[in-house]
Amino acid sequence: MHELSIATAIVEHAEETARLHGGGRVSAVRVRVGEMAGAVPDALRFSFDVAREGTALESARLLVEEVPARARCTPCGTDFAVGTPPLMWCPQCDQPSRELVGGRELEVVAVELEEAGA
């Protein structure tokens, strides 16, 4: 389960962010996970719960924004949902598309710190 290595990297990143801002505890980490990123959000949440034990994130929440896969048709410019399994065929002009414009994201977008004394 590679989600555990992803979760470990998220925890390490959040701990470093906390250190850079005075070493407080982390209350939440916000991540974006694309539909085609190769990470299962539920498995990532479970892995995060395991990876955070004994760290500054021990009571932190992992907030996952799931990003749907979207493609853009080069001939007509239409953006459309790709779905699962992915179908990269434009519903507007009935042409194949090779441009994926969303859905591969796997990024930390925010680390929320507890207020001092909280």
Side-chain angles (χ1 to χ4, degrees), residues 10 13 28-33 62-65 67 105-112:
I10 290 169
H13 174 78
V29 180
R30 294 181 184 278
V31 297
R32 297 180 80 222
V33 178
L62 182 66
L63 306 171
V64 178
E65 176 190 348
V67 181
E105 298 84 347
L106 184 53
E107 58 191 355
V108 174
V109 294
V111 175
E112 298 176 12

Side-chain angles (χ1 to χ4, degrees), residues 27-53:
S27 60
V29 180
R30 294 181 184 278
V31 297
R32 297 180 80 222
V33 178
E35 185 175 20
M36 296 181 70
V40 177
D42 286 340
L44 185 58
R45 287 181 189 96
F46 175 82
S47 297
F48 179 81
D49 288 346
V50 172
R52 71 183 178 163
E53 292 296 317

